[in-house]
Amino acid sequence: MVKQKPAIPKGTRDFIPSEMANRNYIFDTIKKYFKLYGFNAIETPAMENLSTLMGKYGEEGDKLLFKILNSGDFLSKVRPEQLQELNSAKLTNKISEKGLRYDLTVPFARFVVQHRNDLTFPFKRYQIQPVWRADRPQKGRYREFYQCDADMIGSESLLNEVDLVQLTDDIFTDFNIAVSIKLNNRKILSGIAELVGELDKIIDITVAIDKLDKIGAEGVNKEMAAKGVSEKAIEQLQPIIHLQGTNHEKLEKLKELLKTSEVGLKGVEEMTTIFSLLKGLEIHNELELDLTLARGLNYYTGTIFEVKAKDVQIGSVTGGGRYDDLTGIFGMPDVSGVGISYGADRIYDVLKELDLFPKLKQDALQVLFVNFGSVEERYCLPLIAALRKKGVNSEIYPESAKMKKQMKYANSLKVPFVVMVGEEEMQNQKLSIKNMETGEQKEMKLEELINHFS
RNA sequence: GUGAUUGUAGCUCAGUAGGUUAGAGCAUCGGAUUGUGGUUCCGAGGGUCGGGGGUUCGAAUCCCCUCAUUCACCCCA
């Protein structure tokens, strides 16, 4: 037999118990706040019909979808000349009709339309599940990762945006991660594009402006020119690229700059409202209107969010925004929603790098019974059952192995107490109990041991 | 998709001006110690040197191809 090297697909990971404890800490914390803000849990399947997923994430996103081969003889419906053509895109349509979900928002939109009769609007849901992207993995980027989404749908109120900012602030404050919460508005971006007469280049412009920190103003201008943005437009964009000051000051200037654009002004108005509402609240993290924030996902139409950890070099840990008509394509038009997605895996990386995981209390094994043989086993089983009934995690070592081996096992599992019941203890109706931390050993009755844990 | 990086034991890595049977630490198993762990000492098992081809008397080491890895860009959580 050929030995096979154990391996898992690129960009995926296993989690050992100690890592799971930390991951659960993240999920539990996020879940706690989701509930606190009135969101209810739902789940959707790992796979969706490709027709549901395709075309929602932009050209790049479509490429990154994991597609599932049809079951059975998937080539039976393909004509030989179609195979000859060697056109992957065309052939894919014939042999694959399902794919792994790319995010939780689009499946959620599908879910809302499909279950509209069972839901009360405005509807608030949270969803913590893995998503898959056929990206090239690198630091903080995985092919399978968990998103923790909170969305509200069926309400245009900007109170929802304010709520999501507060939620985000609460969550990262709890994690003790200093973050910068960046806000922008697609309407403002549209207004800017309209202003300079390059409506179709809006994505190119924002992507270029997004690189301001990295390549400088001159680099940004060069990139825009390379993408075919006219010289005049670039000239007009300069005051926007160099926009500075407080959020309030920026909005005031934008109001002036965008006075000829209806959409633009609407966006400025929305952001002004949001910032003004937030002003009356206690927010612990940095809050910034960031015009360079673009977000590639196609479906955003209003406010967009992004959260970056201040002390760790990693992609954004959270992102989201408002989508005015994501449900329209599934047959339920004019329903606005807004949502946000926390990247559990990146939050994990940040917490780990900053060494911020709390010392978790031991919820694993608390008591191990040493196994001395078949007579002793029989004697111990009811004692263990009694301990378990009292909620004490206990077990007996499954074989009557050497004492040293059993103690070593207890030690590596960090079991706080080891119970020894041999001939002598059975006669005295007592248990020898060793405290593995101090090394102390005492004789006591079962009740005394139980009391120790209550 | 583009550009780099690295591939040697289960894990982390030494070892290259080409030269006998390829090493260490950790982990595992056994013993010192047949009812006492985390310290110590002794010992054992475990390797197609990522794969294929080439150069050479001789390749982990040099050359070519290939696969994988990690990182950056793009994009994103």
Side-chain angles (χ1 to χ4, degrees):
Chain A
M1 200 174 79
V2 184
K3 194 165 71 178
Q4 178 178 333
K5 266 203 172 168
I8 52 176
K10 190 204 298 241
T12 65
R13 293 152 303 152
D14 290 325
F15 302 107
I16 60 173
S18 60
E19 291 168 332
M20 272 317 290
N22 285 337
R23 284 173 68 81
N24 283 331
Y25 158 70
I26 293 173
F27 293 135
D28 292 346
T29 304
I30 291 176
K31 215 182 278 182
K32 179 175 82 189
Y33 286 99
F34 281 177
K35 287 181 189 162
L36 203 54
Y37 278 74
F39 295 91
N40 289 305
I42 71 156
E43 287 201 359
T44 63
M47 56 183 130
E48 292 277 349
N49 294 327
L50 276 180
S51 55
T52 301
L53 303 174
M54 295 288 281
K56 312 294 191 300
Y57 308 107
E59 223 175 295
E60 280 294 310
D62 281 356
K63 274 191 227 157
L64 299 181
L65 281 170
F66 275 109
K67 300 177 182 83
I68 298 171
L69 218 46
N70 290 343
S71 321
D73 186 4
F74 55 85
L75 281 182
S76 64
K77 285 178 191 154
V78 182
R79 291 196 306 275
E81 56 268 30
Q82 288 174 316
L83 278 177
Q84 295 274 314
E85 243 182 277
L86 296 178
N87 183 329
S88 303
K90 264 186 170 173
L91 189 61
T92 303
N93 292 333
K94 302 272 181 217
I95 63 176
S96 167
E97 52 197 23
K98 294 183 289 294
L100 295 175
R101 63 166 166 250
Y102 179 91
D103 73 354
L104 299 178
T105 309
V106 169
F108 172 56
R110 188 226 86 222
F111 172 97
V112 165
V113 178
Q114 198 169 329
H115 299 280
R116 69 227 269 188
N117 293 336
D118 305 315
L119 306 175
T120 312
F121 294 92
F123 178 60
K124 295 170 76 171
R125 80 90 173 79
Y126 79 83
Q127 188 171 356
I128 299 180
Q129 289 192 275
V131 303
W132 294 268
R133 295 182 187 179
D135 237 334
R136 281 265 186 103
Q138 54 186 273
K139 188 183 179 195
R141 165 178 298 177
Y142 308 100
R143 288 186 148 187
E144 176 184 64
F145 59 97
Y146 271 76
Q147 289 195 328
C148 311
D149 274 38
D151 284 73
M152 24 207 146
I153 198 159
S155 160
E156 287 176 20
S157 167
L158 295 173
L159 288 180
N160 296 316
E161 270 89 338
V162 173
D163 238 17
L164 290 182
V165 171
Q166 281 186 90
L167 172 67
T168 302
D169 185 60
D170 274 351
I171 286 176
F172 285 104
T173 302
D174 194 314
F175 281 134
N176 218 350
I177 299 175
V179 295
S180 165
I181 302 173
K182 293 167 190 282
L183 299 171
N184 196 6
N185 194 300
R186 272 278 165 90
K187 294 191 180 95
I188 294 180
L189 294 176
S190 298
I192 292 169
E194 196 179 299
L195 176 75
V196 300
E198 301 270 3
L199 210 49
D200 53 326
K201 297 242 161 46
I202 173 78
I203 300 282
D204 289 333
I205 291 173
T206 49
V207 165
I209 295 179
D210 188 32
K211 292 180 189 157
L212 186 60
D213 293 348
K214 281 182 195 159
I215 60 181
E218 212 156 301
V220 172
N221 293 344
K222 249 185 220 166
E223 173 148 343
M224 287 194 293
K227 293 280 182 186
V229 180
S230 74
E231 223 167 283
K232 187 174 158 234
I234 293 175
E235 187 63 38
Q236 282 177 296
L237 282 167
Q238 293 315 301
I240 287 157
I241 293 174
H242 293 104
L243 194 67
Q244 284 190 346
T246 65
N247 296 324
H248 184 71
E249 286 165 1
K250 283 185 194 169
L251 284 167
E252 284 298 309
K253 282 182 205 161
L254 276 172
K255 203 167 161 186
E256 184 57 31
L257 283 165
L258 294 175
K259 63 184 172 206
T260 57
S261 164
E262 201 184 322
V263 224
L265 283 180
K266 182 83 168 64
V268 173
E269 192 193 314
E270 286 180 15
M271 296 320 281
T272 308
T273 307
I274 291 168
F275 277 109
S276 127
L277 283 167
L278 283 167
K279 201 144 208 183
L281 298 164
E282 194 185 336
I283 301 290
H284 306 84
N285 286 288
E286 186 179 294
L287 211 58
E288 190 197 355
L289 174 71
D290 183 357
L291 287 183
T292 70
L293 177 58
R295 315 228 87 225
L297 296 177
N298 268 356
Y299 47 71
Y300 293 125
T301 51
T303 316
I304 44 188
F305 310 98
E306 189 163 293
V307 179
K308 292 208 131 191
K310 300 194 70 149
D311 304 318
V312 177
Q313 193 81 28
I314 198 165
S316 55
V317 291
T318 289
R322 178 170 285 276
Y323 39 91
D324 275 335
D325 200 22
L326 194 48
T327 54
I329 195 155
F330 300 114
M332 193 173 156
D334 303 321
V335 180
S336 186
V338 59
I340 197 157
S341 178
Y342 300 84
D345 303 81
R346 284 187 178 170
I347 292 173
Y348 182 99
D349 291 344
V350 170
L351 286 171
K352 179 150 195 198
E353 197 164 324
L354 299 178
D355 198 18
L356 288 176
F357 279 114
K359 293 271 172 283
L360 297 164
K361 66 169 185 284
Q362 197 73 19
D363 58 0
L365 196 59
Q366 293 166 296
V367 177
L368 176 78
F369 279 66
V370 174
N371 188 326
F372 287 107
S374 51
V375 179
E376 290 85 347
E377 270 171 23
R378 193 173 286 278
Y379 183 87
C380 287
L381 285 177
L383 305 180
I384 294 168
L387 277 170
R388 287 176 178 162
K389 205 163 191 173
K390 292 289 178 184
V392 182
N393 306 345
S394 0
E395 71 175 29
I396 180 163
Y397 195 83
E399 346 249 332
S400 77
K402 280 185 186 158
M403 185 76 158
K404 181 185 165 120
K405 189 167 179 172
Q406 300 193 41
M407 294 302 286
K408 244 184 159 167
Y409 173 83
N411 196 54
S412 64
L413 255 56
K414 297 193 174 70
V415 184
F417 294 96
V418 169
V419 176
M420 277 157 285
V421 185
E423 250 176 88
E424 203 178 311
E425 286 88 353
M426 287 196 291
Q427 260 174 18
N428 303 339
Q429 301 278 306
K430 291 222 171 174
L431 317 173
S432 288
I433 292 165
K434 176 157 179 157
N435 181 326
M436 292 298 279
E437 235 170 285
T438 61
E440 266 180 281
Q441 192 166 324
K442 275 192 250 182
E443 286 209 336
M444 54 172 100
K445 294 200 163 167
L446 182 69
E447 290 71 37
E448 295 175 71
L449 180 62
I450 289 173
N451 285 339
H452 186 92
F453 288 101
S454 53

Short mmCIF file of all heavy atoms in Angstrom, two decimals, chain A residues 9-12 46-51 53-54 57 60-69 92 96-103 130-137 142-145, chain B residues 77:
data_model
loop_
_atom_site.label_atom_id
_atom_site.label_comp_id
_atom_site.label_asym_id
_atom_site.label_seq_id
_atom_site.Cartn_x
_atom_site.Cartn_y
_atom_site.Cartn_z
N PRO A 9 -7.15 20.71 1.61
CA PRO A 9 -7.03 21.62 0.47
C PRO A 9 -6.45 22.98 0.87
O PRO A 9 -6.59 23.43 2.00
CB PRO A 9 -8.48 21.79 0.00
CG PRO A 9 -9.18 20.57 0.47
CD PRO A 9 -8.53 20.22 1.77
N LYS A 10 -5.81 23.57 -0.09
CA LYS A 10 -5.22 24.90 0.04
C LYS A 10 -6.22 25.89 0.66
O LYS A 10 -7.38 25.93 0.27
CB LYS A 10 -4.88 25.37 -1.38
CG LYS A 10 -4.04 26.62 -1.46
CD LYS A 10 -4.24 27.32 -2.80
CE LYS A 10 -3.83 26.50 -3.99
NZ LYS A 10 -2.77 27.08 -4.79
N GLY A 11 -5.74 26.66 1.60
CA GLY A 11 -6.58 27.71 2.16
C GLY A 11 -7.61 27.25 3.18
O GLY A 11 -8.43 28.03 3.63
N THR A 12 -7.56 25.95 3.55
CA THR A 12 -8.46 25.46 4.60
C THR A 12 -7.62 25.09 5.82
O THR A 12 -6.42 24.93 5.70
CB THR A 12 -9.25 24.22 4.16
OG1 THR A 12 -8.33 23.14 3.93
CG2 THR A 12 -10.01 24.49 2.86
N ALA A 46 -24.88 25.37 2.73
CA ALA A 46 -23.54 25.70 2.25
C ALA A 46 -23.56 25.94 0.76
O ALA A 46 -22.82 26.78 0.24
CB ALA A 46 -22.57 24.56 2.59
N MET A 47 -24.40 25.20 0.05
CA MET A 47 -24.44 25.39 -1.40
C MET A 47 -25.73 26.06 -1.83
O MET A 47 -26.78 25.91 -1.20
CB MET A 47 -24.26 24.06 -2.13
CG MET A 47 -25.24 23.00 -1.76
SD MET A 47 -24.85 21.48 -2.64
CE MET A 47 -24.86 20.29 -1.33
N GLU A 48 -25.62 26.85 -2.89
CA GLU A 48 -26.77 27.53 -3.48
C GLU A 48 -26.77 27.22 -4.97
O GLU A 48 -25.76 26.77 -5.52
CB GLU A 48 -26.63 29.05 -3.29
CG GLU A 48 -26.72 29.55 -1.86
CD GLU A 48 -28.15 29.75 -1.38
OE1 GLU A 48 -29.08 29.70 -2.22
OE2 GLU A 48 -28.36 29.94 -0.16
N ASN A 49 -27.89 27.47 -5.62
CA ASN A 49 -27.89 27.37 -7.08
C ASN A 49 -26.98 28.45 -7.64
O ASN A 49 -26.98 29.58 -7.14
CB ASN A 49 -29.31 27.55 -7.62
CG ASN A 49 -30.21 26.42 -7.19
OD1 ASN A 49 -29.76 25.27 -7.05
ND2 ASN A 49 -31.47 26.72 -6.96
N LEU A 50 -26.24 28.10 -8.66
CA LEU A 50 -25.32 29.10 -9.23
C LEU A 50 -26.08 30.32 -9.74
O LEU A 50 -25.58 31.44 -9.69
CB LEU A 50 -24.52 28.47 -10.38
CG LEU A 50 -23.28 27.70 -9.95
CD1 LEU A 50 -22.57 27.12 -11.17
CD2 LEU A 50 -22.32 28.59 -9.17
N SER A 51 -27.32 30.11 -10.18
CA SER A 51 -28.10 31.25 -10.66
C SER A 51 -28.35 32.26 -9.54
O SER A 51 -28.48 33.46 -9.79
CB SER A 51 -29.44 30.76 -11.23
OG SER A 51 -30.12 30.00 -10.26
N LEU A 53 -26.15 32.89 -7.15
CA LEU A 53 -24.89 33.53 -6.78
C LEU A 53 -24.27 34.38 -7.89
O LEU A 53 -23.69 35.43 -7.63
CB LEU A 53 -23.87 32.46 -6.35
CG LEU A 53 -24.30 31.55 -5.20
CD1 LEU A 53 -23.27 30.45 -4.98
CD2 LEU A 53 -24.47 32.35 -3.92
N MET A 54 -24.39 33.89 -9.12
CA MET A 54 -23.67 34.54 -10.22
C MET A 54 -24.15 35.98 -10.44
O MET A 54 -25.34 36.27 -10.35
CB MET A 54 -23.85 33.75 -11.53
CG MET A 54 -23.24 32.36 -11.49
SD MET A 54 -21.46 32.36 -11.53
CE MET A 54 -21.19 32.64 -13.27
N TYR A 57 -21.52 39.66 -7.36
CA TYR A 57 -20.30 40.10 -6.69
C TYR A 57 -19.32 40.79 -7.64
O TYR A 57 -18.17 41.00 -7.30
CB TYR A 57 -19.60 38.89 -6.06
CG TYR A 57 -20.50 38.08 -5.17
CD1 TYR A 57 -20.97 36.85 -5.57
CD2 TYR A 57 -20.89 38.58 -3.94
CE1 TYR A 57 -21.80 36.09 -4.75
CE2 TYR A 57 -21.73 37.85 -3.12
CZ TYR A 57 -22.18 36.60 -3.52
OH TYR A 57 -23.00 35.88 -2.72
N GLU A 60 -14.95 39.85 -10.70
CA GLU A 60 -13.97 39.15 -9.87
C GLU A 60 -14.64 38.07 -9.04
O GLU A 60 -14.17 36.94 -8.97
CB GLU A 60 -13.28 40.15 -8.94
CG GLU A 60 -12.19 40.96 -9.58
CD GLU A 60 -11.00 40.11 -10.00
OE1 GLU A 60 -10.52 39.32 -9.16
OE2 GLU A 60 -10.58 40.22 -11.16
N GLY A 61 -15.74 38.45 -8.41
CA GLY A 61 -16.44 37.54 -7.53
C GLY A 61 -16.89 36.28 -8.25
O GLY A 61 -16.77 35.18 -7.73
N ASP A 62 -17.42 36.44 -9.45
CA ASP A 62 -17.87 35.27 -10.20
C ASP A 62 -16.74 34.28 -10.40
O ASP A 62 -16.92 33.07 -10.32
CB ASP A 62 -18.41 35.71 -11.58
CG ASP A 62 -19.82 36.28 -11.46
OD1 ASP A 62 -20.37 36.24 -10.35
OD2 ASP A 62 -20.37 36.74 -12.47
N LYS A 63 -15.55 34.82 -10.65
CA LYS A 63 -14.39 33.95 -10.86
C LYS A 63 -14.02 33.19 -9.60
O LYS A 63 -13.45 32.12 -9.66
CB LYS A 63 -13.18 34.80 -11.29
CG LYS A 63 -13.11 35.07 -12.78
CD LYS A 63 -11.76 35.68 -13.12
CE LYS A 63 -11.96 36.88 -14.02
NZ LYS A 63 -10.82 37.82 -13.96
N LEU A 64 -14.31 33.79 -8.45
CA LEU A 64 -13.87 33.20 -7.19
C LEU A 64 -14.89 32.24 -6.59
O LEU A 64 -14.69 31.71 -5.51
CB LEU A 64 -13.57 34.31 -6.18
CG LEU A 64 -12.46 35.29 -6.57
CD1 LEU A 64 -12.25 36.33 -5.49
CD2 LEU A 64 -11.16 34.55 -6.85
N LEU A 65 -15.99 32.02 -7.29
CA LEU A 65 -17.00 31.08 -6.80
C LEU A 65 -16.50 29.64 -6.95
O LEU A 65 -16.00 29.27 -8.00
CB LEU A 65 -18.29 31.23 -7.60
CG LEU A 65 -19.21 32.40 -7.27
CD1 LEU A 65 -20.30 32.51 -8.33
CD2 LEU A 65 -19.82 32.22 -5.90
N PHE A 66 -16.68 28.86 -5.90
CA PHE A 66 -16.41 27.42 -6.01
C PHE A 66 -17.65 26.78 -6.62
O PHE A 66 -18.75 26.93 -6.12
CB PHE A 66 -16.16 26.81 -4.63
CG PHE A 66 -14.74 26.92 -4.17
CD1 PHE A 66 -14.39 27.77 -3.16
CD2 PHE A 66 -13.75 26.15 -4.77
CE1 PHE A 66 -13.08 27.88 -2.73
CE2 PHE A 66 -12.43 26.24 -4.35
CZ PHE A 66 -12.09 27.11 -3.33
N LYS A 67 -17.46 26.07 -7.70
CA LYS A 67 -18.60 25.44 -8.36
C LYS A 67 -18.59 23.95 -8.09
O LYS A 67 -17.55 23.33 -7.95
CB LYS A 67 -18.53 25.72 -9.86
CG LYS A 67 -18.58 27.22 -10.13
CD LYS A 67 -18.46 27.56 -11.60
CE LYS A 67 -18.47 29.07 -11.76
NZ LYS A 67 -17.13 29.66 -11.54
N ILE A 68 -19.78 23.39 -8.02
CA ILE A 68 -19.93 21.97 -7.71
C ILE A 68 -20.34 21.22 -8.97
O ILE A 68 -21.30 21.60 -9.64
CB ILE A 68 -20.98 21.77 -6.60
CG1 ILE A 68 -20.53 22.47 -5.32
CG2 ILE A 68 -21.23 20.29 -6.36
CD1 ILE A 68 -21.58 22.53 -4.25
N LEU A 69 -19.58 20.19 -9.27
CA LEU A 69 -19.88 19.37 -10.44
C LEU A 69 -21.22 18.67 -10.25
O LEU A 69 -21.53 18.19 -9.17
CB LEU A 69 -18.77 18.32 -10.55
CG LEU A 69 -18.25 17.91 -11.91
CD1 LEU A 69 -17.97 19.11 -12.80
CD2 LEU A 69 -16.97 17.09 -11.71
N THR A 92 -18.97 25.16 -18.17
CA THR A 92 -19.34 25.18 -16.75
C THR A 92 -20.86 25.20 -16.59
O THR A 92 -21.41 24.51 -15.74
CB THR A 92 -18.72 26.40 -16.05
OG1 THR A 92 -17.31 26.35 -16.23
CG2 THR A 92 -19.03 26.39 -14.57
N SER A 96 -22.24 22.20 -14.26
CA SER A 96 -22.34 22.61 -12.86
C SER A 96 -23.52 23.56 -12.68
O SER A 96 -23.63 24.56 -13.40
CB SER A 96 -21.05 23.31 -12.45
OG SER A 96 -21.24 23.97 -11.22
N GLU A 97 -24.39 23.25 -11.76
CA GLU A 97 -25.49 24.17 -11.50
C GLU A 97 -25.56 24.61 -10.03
O GLU A 97 -26.45 25.34 -9.65
CB GLU A 97 -26.82 23.55 -11.94
CG GLU A 97 -27.09 22.17 -11.40
CD GLU A 97 -28.19 21.47 -12.19
OE1 GLU A 97 -28.41 21.85 -13.36
OE2 GLU A 97 -28.80 20.54 -11.63
N LYS A 98 -24.60 24.15 -9.21
CA LYS A 98 -24.58 24.57 -7.81
C LYS A 98 -23.19 25.12 -7.47
O LYS A 98 -22.21 24.78 -8.11
CB LYS A 98 -24.88 23.38 -6.89
CG LYS A 98 -26.28 22.82 -7.03
CD LYS A 98 -26.55 21.70 -6.06
CE LYS A 98 -25.80 20.43 -6.37
NZ LYS A 98 -26.20 19.77 -7.62
N GLY A 99 -23.14 25.95 -6.43
CA GLY A 99 -21.86 26.46 -5.98
C GLY A 99 -21.89 26.70 -4.49
O GLY A 99 -22.96 26.78 -3.87
N LEU A 100 -20.68 26.79 -3.88
CA LEU A 100 -20.59 27.10 -2.45
C LEU A 100 -20.82 28.60 -2.27
O LEU A 100 -20.36 29.40 -3.08
CB LEU A 100 -19.22 26.72 -1.92
CG LEU A 100 -18.89 25.22 -1.94
CD1 LEU A 100 -17.46 24.98 -1.49
CD2 LEU A 100 -19.87 24.46 -1.07
N ARG A 101 -21.51 28.95 -1.20
CA ARG A 101 -21.84 30.37 -1.02
C ARG A 101 -20.56 31.19 -0.84
O ARG A 101 -19.59 30.74 -0.23
CB ARG A 101 -22.80 30.57 0.14
CG ARG A 101 -22.22 30.15 1.44
CD ARG A 101 -23.00 30.63 2.65
NE ARG A 101 -22.50 29.87 3.77
CZ ARG A 101 -23.19 28.93 4.40
NH1 ARG A 101 -24.45 28.69 4.10
NH2 ARG A 101 -22.63 28.23 5.36
N TYR A 102 -20.61 32.41 -1.37
CA TYR A 102 -19.46 33.31 -1.41
C TYR A 102 -19.53 34.31 -0.26
O TYR A 102 -18.52 34.80 0.22
CB TYR A 102 -19.50 34.04 -2.75
CG TYR A 102 -18.43 35.05 -3.01
CD1 TYR A 102 -17.25 34.69 -3.64
CD2 TYR A 102 -18.61 36.39 -2.66
CE1 TYR A 102 -16.28 35.62 -3.91
CE2 TYR A 102 -17.64 37.33 -2.93
CZ TYR A 102 -16.48 36.94 -3.54
OH TYR A 102 -15.51 37.87 -3.81
N ASP A 103 -20.76 34.57 0.18
CA ASP A 103 -20.96 35.40 1.36
C ASP A 103 -22.30 35.01 1.97
O ASP A 103 -22.92 34.05 1.51
CB ASP A 103 -20.90 36.90 1.03
CG ASP A 103 -22.12 37.39 0.26
OD1 ASP A 103 -22.96 36.56 -0.12
OD2 ASP A 103 -22.22 38.61 0.04
N PRO A 130 -19.74 29.37 7.64
CA PRO A 130 -18.57 29.52 6.77
C PRO A 130 -18.97 29.92 5.35
O PRO A 130 -20.08 29.62 4.91
CB PRO A 130 -17.94 28.13 6.77
CG PRO A 130 -19.03 27.20 7.11
CD PRO A 130 -20.00 27.96 7.96
N VAL A 131 -18.06 30.59 4.68
CA VAL A 131 -18.22 30.90 3.26
C VAL A 131 -16.94 30.49 2.55
O VAL A 131 -15.92 30.24 3.20
CB VAL A 131 -18.51 32.41 3.03
CG1 VAL A 131 -19.73 32.85 3.79
CG2 VAL A 131 -17.30 33.26 3.41
N TRP A 132 -17.01 30.37 1.24
CA TRP A 132 -15.86 29.86 0.49
C TRP A 132 -15.53 30.76 -0.69
O TRP A 132 -16.43 31.21 -1.42
CB TRP A 132 -16.17 28.45 -0.04
CG TRP A 132 -16.33 27.45 1.06
CD1 TRP A 132 -15.36 26.67 1.59
CD2 TRP A 132 -17.52 27.13 1.78
NE1 TRP A 132 -15.88 25.87 2.59
CE2 TRP A 132 -17.20 26.14 2.73
CE3 TRP A 132 -18.86 27.59 1.72
CZ2 TRP A 132 -18.15 25.60 3.61
CZ3 TRP A 132 -19.79 27.05 2.59
CH2 TRP A 132 -19.43 26.06 3.52
N ARG A 133 -14.26 31.04 -0.87
CA ARG A 133 -13.83 31.84 -2.02
C ARG A 133 -12.56 31.23 -2.59
O ARG A 133 -11.63 30.93 -1.85
CB ARG A 133 -13.54 33.29 -1.59
CG ARG A 133 -14.79 33.98 -1.11
CD ARG A 133 -14.56 35.42 -0.73
NE ARG A 133 -15.78 35.95 -0.12
CZ ARG A 133 -15.93 37.17 0.36
NH1 ARG A 133 -14.92 38.02 0.29
NH2 ARG A 133 -17.06 37.55 0.89
N ALA A 134 -12.51 31.10 -3.90
CA ALA A 134 -11.36 30.47 -4.55
C ALA A 134 -10.23 31.47 -4.76
O ALA A 134 -9.62 31.52 -5.82
CB ALA A 134 -11.79 29.85 -5.87
N ASP A 135 -9.96 32.25 -3.74
CA ASP A 135 -8.92 33.26 -3.76
C ASP A 135 -7.56 32.59 -3.59
O ASP A 135 -7.48 31.47 -3.15
CB ASP A 135 -9.14 34.19 -2.57
CG ASP A 135 -9.27 35.62 -2.98
OD1 ASP A 135 -8.73 35.97 -4.03
OD2 ASP A 135 -9.92 36.38 -2.25
N ARG A 136 -6.49 33.30 -3.90
CA ARG A 136 -5.16 32.81 -3.53
C ARG A 136 -4.96 33.10 -2.06
O ARG A 136 -5.00 34.24 -1.65
CB ARG A 136 -4.08 33.57 -4.31
CG ARG A 136 -3.89 33.11 -5.71
CD ARG A 136 -2.76 32.09 -5.78
NE ARG A 136 -2.52 31.79 -7.18
CZ ARG A 136 -1.49 32.28 -7.87
NH1 ARG A 136 -0.60 33.03 -7.27
NH2 ARG A 136 -1.37 31.99 -9.13
N PRO A 137 -4.73 32.08 -1.25
CA PRO A 137 -4.58 32.33 0.18
C PRO A 137 -3.31 33.11 0.49
O PRO A 137 -2.32 32.99 -0.22
CB PRO A 137 -4.50 30.93 0.79
CG PRO A 137 -4.71 29.97 -0.30
CD PRO A 137 -4.59 30.67 -1.60
N TYR A 142 -8.28 33.25 3.66
CA TYR A 142 -8.50 31.82 3.61
C TYR A 142 -9.52 31.49 2.53
O TYR A 142 -10.24 32.36 2.07
CB TYR A 142 -8.98 31.33 4.98
CG TYR A 142 -8.09 31.78 6.10
CD1 TYR A 142 -8.43 32.87 6.89
CD2 TYR A 142 -6.88 31.15 6.31
CE1 TYR A 142 -7.57 33.31 7.90
CE2 TYR A 142 -6.02 31.57 7.31
CZ TYR A 142 -6.38 32.66 8.11
OH TYR A 142 -5.53 33.08 9.10
N ARG A 143 -9.55 30.24 2.13
CA ARG A 143 -10.54 29.83 1.13
C ARG A 143 -11.83 29.39 1.80
O ARG A 143 -12.86 29.31 1.17
CB ARG A 143 -9.97 28.72 0.26
CG ARG A 143 -8.91 29.25 -0.67
CD ARG A 143 -8.44 28.20 -1.63
NE ARG A 143 -8.07 28.83 -2.89
CZ ARG A 143 -7.74 28.17 -3.98
NH1 ARG A 143 -7.74 26.86 -3.98
NH2 ARG A 143 -7.44 28.82 -5.08
N GLU A 144 -11.72 29.02 3.06
CA GLU A 144 -12.91 28.73 3.86
C GLU A 144 -12.80 29.56 5.12
O GLU A 144 -11.81 29.44 5.85
CB GLU A 144 -12.97 27.24 4.22
CG GLU A 144 -14.14 26.90 5.12
CD GLU A 144 -14.12 25.44 5.55
OE1 GLU A 144 -13.18 25.04 6.24
OE2 GLU A 144 -15.04 24.72 5.17
N PHE A 145 -13.77 30.41 5.38
CA PHE A 145 -13.72 31.21 6.59
C PHE A 145 -15.13 31.56 7.05
O PHE A 145 -16.09 31.46 6.29
CB PHE A 145 -12.90 32.49 6.36
CG PHE A 145 -13.43 33.39 5.27
CD1 PHE A 145 -14.24 34.48 5.59
CD2 PHE A 145 -13.11 33.17 3.95
CE1 PHE A 145 -14.71 35.33 4.60
CE2 PHE A 145 -13.59 34.01 2.95
CZ PHE A 145 -14.39 35.09 3.27
P A B 77 -15.83 41.87 2.25
OP1 A B 77 -17.27 41.69 2.06
OP2 A B 77 -15.29 43.20 2.41
"O5'" A B 77 -15.36 41.02 3.51
"C5'" A B 77 -16.24 40.99 4.61
"C4'" A B 77 -15.44 40.54 5.82
"O4'" A B 77 -15.05 39.16 5.66
"C3'" A B 77 -14.18 41.39 6.01
"O3'" A B 77 -14.23 42.10 7.19
"C2'" A B 77 -13.03 40.41 5.97
"O2'" A B 77 -12.28 40.49 7.14
"C1'" A B 77 -13.67 39.01 5.88
N9 A B 77 -13.07 38.27 4.76
C8 A B 77 -13.29 38.43 3.44
N7 A B 77 -12.61 37.62 2.68
C5 A B 77 -11.87 36.87 3.58
C6 A B 77 -10.94 35.83 3.41
N6 A B 77 -10.60 35.35 2.21
N1 A B 77 -10.38 35.29 4.53
C2 A B 77 -10.74 35.79 5.72
N3 A B 77 -11.60 36.76 6.00
C4 A B 77 -12.15 37.26 4.88
#
